[in-house]
Amino acid sequence: MSKDSVVEENHDDSASEAESAGESSAGSYSEDESVQSEASKDHPAARGGKTVILASDPANEAFFAGGNVARLSDNDQTIDANEYEKAMSDELPVVSKTLDYEEAQAGWKESAVTDNNGEYIPFWSSGKQFLSNIEFLGPGMGLYFRMLRNFALYFFLMSIPVGCVIAHYMYLYYNPDSDLDDESMDALARVTTGVTASTSQDDTIGGWDVRKVMLAVVGLDAFSMLCFLIMVAHLKRKQEEYVDENDDAVTSLPDYSVWVWGIPTNATEEEVKEHFSQYGEIWDCVVVKDIGKVMGARITRAQQIETLLTMKIQCSGRKNKGYKIDKQQKAIAKQKEKIIKQTKKIDDKLNEGFTSVCAFITYNNPESRANCVDEYASPGWSCCPHEKLKLRGEHVLKVKPAPEASDLIWENVLRPNFVTKAMRKATSMLMIFILLIAAIGVIVYAKDTLSKSPPAVACPNTVYDANTNPAPMLNCKAIWDLASEDAINNATSETRRSVDMFISNINDYEKCGDFIVKADWARPMDSSAYGAYTAPATGSAWDGGFLPNSQADECAALTCKQCYCTTVVSLANLGDLMNAYFDAAAANKAFCKPIFDQIFQEASVMVGTIAMTTITNMVLMNSAAFFSAFERHKTLSATEAKAATYTFGALIINQMIVPIIIYSFIEFLEGFPVLFQGTFGDFEAEWYNKVMVMIMGTAVTNIIAFPLGAAAPNIVAWVKRKLTGCMAHSQKVLNEMYQPADFSLAKRYGQALCALYYTIILSSCAPPLLVAAFFLFIIVFYVDKMILLTFSKRPPMYDHKLNEMFLNMAPFAAWFHLAIATWAFGYYEIPSYTIGLPSIAGTGIDTNAVSSPNADDSNVDYTGAPAQFDFMARLKRLNALVPFLFFVVLTVSLFLAKLVDKLLKPICGAIFGNKGPEKIDEVPPFDQLIMPGQVGYEDPVPEGELNNKLSGLRSYRIEDNPKYAKLFPEVIGGESGRRETPAKAPKTQNMA
């Protein structure tokens, strides 16, 4: 033992037991027997308590430097060597036939979320009362639920004016004079901006000019983004106030502590303490060793012993029932061999020795901590460090505020290895990309399937009417009068045969879109030319039709057939459509079956794509947490932040970015593998029918999928407890069934940020996304409230970092929104005022091309569309100019701020200092604090006095963390191993 520690001299028997255990018994506790250690009096926070003694293990001698006194949390259950011996013995535990449900339920309540009085928080408490009741869980939890509530309120308020926009779109589609029908727009697309890109109507509700209304829509869209940015800025300010208030109300270890990196590998606690004592009295100094290499092995061994205990309990139960247990005993023997091998690995790693990694300095006064942080952030420290700040006069140290002790992941606290870190990060991103490939494959299949479908045409515009002005470019009745010959029922109809022959010779369905503008047929079709034409006999070679050098006649035949079949059977009546589909198998009605097949195939592919996207979202969310942990971040907060980032990135790529880049076609990238080789070069009407419908469908599905995915495991576990709890073969199994689930914020923030992004970015194209977002956020609020209060264990003390990340990324959603709005509203077929500049392309059908079409339709653009990236053509349209100007202002604001923060701030910090004075928390000295479990801790703090009750762990020593203390088999229990210890913290630390 060190000279500074007082220990019990008579502990030879206990020590020999620990040595024979071979450092085992980590985590191997029985159902009934455990040693509950008392806090050490020499602990920096537990004066007047007791201590437990560490056995002297020769394998640990080099690392222990003579051994130390262990300081364990008051409520921690630790394991002595006898437990290891019991686990490894041939003796089977006694299994009681009576299950104690009260014990299991008490264990649940101990771990669950309860108020300060230990009572459950009612689910039906008001929102304000609920947020007040969970303040003790840390600022992160309160900020999460406040975020959900505030954004739900924003989306609700924005849904009110958006309702007017949706009414405008629906009027354009459904009014009696509309030139749109079921074939021209899918159901969800009828409430998108795609309606204005499809119709040729000049006025809307009340006779208003469509251009005026669209300008009002654009203005409302810009106003909604302004409100969004103001709200985000307000929430950032409120977060700072909330964190300050919460920080002042809670006294915790970080208020007194700093985290030091850059210490030499052989640094000792004595010299580190001496170096930092220049800033004030030090209460505790912890030099952290690189125990990660042994900690993983210890965790594995604890899991193996836990499995062994479960196997022995099951074997004992079978024995009590009179069953043979030979097979179970063989499995137990194999498990013991695994444990022995794992213990040997631990011994080998312990013999390799350990090096110093970093240090935690806990001062007695918060002013000392602030002085230390300020000194190491002083001007010139980064480039010209002062000699007095170097350890041993040569080691440049990096000092920063310490995290919560419970936030540390001790197995990951290692010396930085940038190569390993980069490799792990690259592996994580590669695996996530591989998972995304499945989603890309589904979207590519959907794109290839839907590309074979005919482009949408407003069928009323293919029928000549005396009142129609101008006359339609394609008069189906004048060329192929399918209705008069009852083509669907008359298999001998010549017109029916002719139409099928034309359609069978279409070379490329996508080319048919060249003849359609705003859902209208644009290429003049001379019916007299067809009147003089006779289709070849069945089986004869195709002669090219009545326009031999063009595909216009073949595409026109497809359009006329599609309009005829959907006129005979209304697409609005699902029953009629189903009857027609199955009845069409008859030979005499096979004429329309390909049309119905295509309709059902498109619907099936769309539904299947939405379902697969939702399933892939669930897989990606669960994978993000795994890959974040794989990167081995040093703190839980950093792990959670990375998991949230991966969740958000994977979801937004899968749900929004992949469909857009798969369906998009960029001319100068023609031939690029898979990406940007789609059908749509712009936000045309068909783009809304295919891409936006898919994204909106997934967004609507998420309203159910996101909260259900979070609640389902908890509901399943609840049902399992109710149905199978009575069949548990031991009290241990029953107690495990009554363990609440974890409540992780990482996945939830990732989901929320994904929903926020696709809603904000695409709301100019699809206003109903704002309504869907309101329902999603409000449902998630109440579902997560239920999960937290009813099914979850008390979560870790989350700080504000996840919410800060969320709010920092939110403004960029508005930036992307304005870019998309400029592109979408600037589409040439959407009615818009120009700004008095010279005439531009893209105002509808090109009348010059229509009046004198080429015989082969070569180099003819009937749409009059501008070049794909003719930005000036868009900006000359007032619809695009408004969001573009806002976009420029926001770009300057956001990216100039980023430039200052990322580039200029570090340079200025090196010259003038990194920041202002460190905040000094209003807390009493550390030696005046009351620790959890001590007398007076439950008493209220007198009004006007500082909070003298420590929240969280009491030191940065690993054995003070209940999660890790049980991994140390050197801990010996019993009254004989306890003795009063000094009032000051020890100079050295046991980290094995």
Side-chain angles (χ1 to χ4, degrees), residues 8-26:
E8 179 69 48
E9 296 180 357
N10 185 18
H11 62 278
D12 294 340
D13 295 339
S14 298
S16 62
E17 288 176 359
E19 291 172 4
S20 65
E23 260 213 348
S24 307
S25 83

Side-chain angles (χ1 to χ4, degrees), residues 333-570:
K334 289 182 179 180
Q335 186 67 14
K336 290 179 181 179
E337 292 175 3
K338 291 181 181 179
I339 295 172
I340 294 172
K341 290 180 180 178
Q342 189 67 20
T343 301
K344 179 63 168 57
K345 289 181 181 180
I346 294 173
D347 292 339
D348 293 341
K349 291 180 178 180
L350 286 172
N351 290 330
E352 294 174 3
F354 300 88
T355 60
S356 300
V357 176
C358 61
F360 290 98
I361 310 296
T362 301
Y363 288 96
N364 190 47
N365 294 292
E367 294 83 3
S368 302
R369 167 193 170 276
N371 292 337
C372 178
V373 174
D374 288 339
E375 190 73 16
Y376 277 90
S378 61
W381 167 243
S382 300
C383 56
C384 305
H386 302 298
E387 291 298 319
K388 72 171 186 177
L389 300 182
K390 296 180 180 178
L391 186 63
R392 298 179 183 173
E394 58 178 324
H395 293 279
V396 178
L397 304 178
K398 181 179 180 181
V399 177
K400 57 184 179 180
E404 288 280 355
S406 60
D407 195 32
L408 290 168
I409 305 176
W410 282 101
E411 58 267 34
N412 296 346
V413 181
L414 303 168
R415 281 194 170 271
N417 186 320
F418 297 104
V419 174
T420 302
K421 183 178 179 180
M423 289 297 296
R424 285 181 172 273
K425 184 178 290 291
T427 302
S428 297
M429 298 182 71
L430 176 63
M431 296 305 297
I432 291 175
F433 174 74
I434 291 174
L435 291 175
L436 283 170
I437 289 179
I440 293 174
V442 172
I443 301 296
V444 169
Y445 170 77
K447 186 261 296 183
D448 292 340
T449 301
L450 297 179
S451 66
K452 299 175 183 178
S453 61
V457 177
C459 290
N461 294 338
T462 64
V463 178
Y464 176 76
D465 189 297
N467 297 322
T468 302
N469 187 23
M473 297 292 180
L474 172 61
N475 185 352
C476 288
K477 185 176 181 180
I479 303 177
W480 297 285
D481 193 358
L482 295 169
S484 64
E485 295 190 19
D486 193 19
I488 192 172
N489 296 310
N490 184 5
T492 62
S493 168
E494 175 61 23
T495 302
R496 169 173 164 166
R497 185 189 72 85
S498 175
V499 166
D500 280 342
M501 183 168 288
F502 271 91
I503 294 173
S504 64
N505 286 281
I506 296 177
N507 298 325
D508 187 353
Y509 281 82
E510 293 184 16
K511 293 296 182 182
C512 293
D514 296 342
F515 308 109
I516 299 172
V517 178
K518 295 176 75 70
D520 288 342
W521 186 269
R523 205 262 192 212
M525 301 298 295
D526 187 0
S527 58
S528 61
Y530 176 75
Y533 172 77
T534 302
T538 303
S540 301
W542 179 243
D543 59 2
F546 57 89
L547 296 175
N549 300 316
S550 171
Q551 284 273 288
D553 47 351
E554 286 85 353
C555 292
L558 176 62
T559 298
C560 291
K561 178 177 179 178
Q562 183 176 350
C563 288
Y564 167 72
C565 291
T566 55
T567 301
V568 174
V569 178
S570 173

